[in-house]
Amino acid sequence: MDLRSYVREVQDFPKQGIGYKDITPLLLSPEAMKQAVQFFLNQLPHQNIDKVVGIESRGFFFATLLAEKLNAGFIPVRKPGKLPHRTHREDYELEYGTDTLEIHEDAIQKGEKVLLHDDVLATGGTAAATCRLIEKCGGEIVQCNFLVELAGLNGKDKLRGYAVNSLITYN
C-alpha cells in the first residue's frame, strides 16, 4: 500500500502559494492508519518508550495510537492557555513571527524515554521547541516521528542531534 496516495495536496491553503498536505484521507482508512503505525513501530531503535508526545493538534492522532501500542503514556503539547495545570513554555520562531507551546510541568519524569510525533516536519521550529520542552521536563528523546516531511524546507537542520524518522518525504 502506497501511503503517499492517502495524502492529498490542497493548493493555496491556508494562503496563496501554499500546497497544503492534507492527511485526512489517510485517517479515513483503517488499513492505511494501521500501516502507518506499524511503520513507526518498526523504525524505533527499541520499544522501551515511557511517553509519547503529540504536538497540537494533528500530531495527537498517531501519537495516541503509538502510545497505546507501546504501552506508554500520551502527552499533549499545546498552544498557550489550553492546558489546565502548571506548564513549561517555549517560544519559537516562525517564518512570520513567533509562537509559543506548553507542556505540563509534571508530564515527564527525569530520565523517561520519550517519542515525539507530529503530522508534518516543515521548517522544524515547532518540533525543535517541543524537544526543548521535553528536555526541560527531564525527558530523553529517543526519536522524532513525522507522517510527512517537506524536505525542501530543511526542518531536519533544526533537529540535529535527534533521530528523525518520516513516513513520506516530499522534496
Side-chain angles (χ1 to χ4, degrees):
M1 175 183 300
D2 178 16
L3 292 181
R4 185 181 296 264
S5 68
Y6 287 88
V7 178
R8 95 178 122 209
E9 185 160 326
V10 179
Q11 291 300 319
D12 300 322
F13 183 84
K15 61 183 182 179
Q16 190 73 23
I18 302 290
Y20 183 79
K21 304 298 189 232
D22 179 14
I23 65 164
T24 55
L26 192 147
L27 298 173
L28 289 171
S29 168
E31 296 82 18
M33 287 195 313
K34 286 178 192 171
Q35 185 173 337
V37 168
Q38 194 57 54
F39 171 84
F40 288 124
L41 293 173
N42 291 344
Q43 299 303 311
L44 282 172
H46 58 77
Q47 294 191 359
N48 181 26
I49 304 293
D50 299 301
K51 304 283 173 60
V52 178
V53 169
I55 301 173
E56 183 174 327
S57 67
R58 294 185 314 162
F60 294 172
F61 303 138
F62 283 91
T64 56
L65 294 172
L66 289 165
E68 188 273 329
K69 292 286 186 192
L70 293 165
N71 196 34
F74 166 73
I75 301 169
V77 167
R78 304 212 54 199
K79 301 287 184 184
K82 303 277 185 168
L83 294 172
H85 193 56
R86 290 186 317 273
T87 61
H88 289 301
R89 297 174 59 98
E90 188 68 35
D91 296 325
Y92 62 101
E93 297 292 322
L94 299 166
E95 310 86 84
Y96 47 84
T98 61
D99 210 342
T100 304
L101 292 172
E102 294 182 338
I103 191 171
H104 279 138
E105 290 177 357
D106 60 355
I108 300 169
Q109 304 306 308
K110 185 174 173 54
E112 284 187 316
K113 306 289 188 228
V114 178
L115 173 65
L116 180 150
H117 179 81
D118 202 7
D119 64 321
V120 175
L121 173 60
T123 63
T126 304
T130 302
C131 288
R132 292 190 297 273
L133 284 171
I134 292 167
E135 291 171 341
K136 198 179 282 189
C137 291
E140 296 175 17
I141 300 163
V142 172
Q143 190 164 284
C144 301
N145 281 348
F146 304 92
L147 275 175
V148 172
E149 178 182 348
L150 306 176
L153 297 177
N154 302 314
K156 277 187 179 176
D157 291 350
K158 289 189 180 157
L159 298 175
R160 285 204 175 114
Y162 301 107
V164 176
N165 184 45
S166 302
L167 176 59
I168 300 167
T169 301
Y170 293 93
N171 292 315

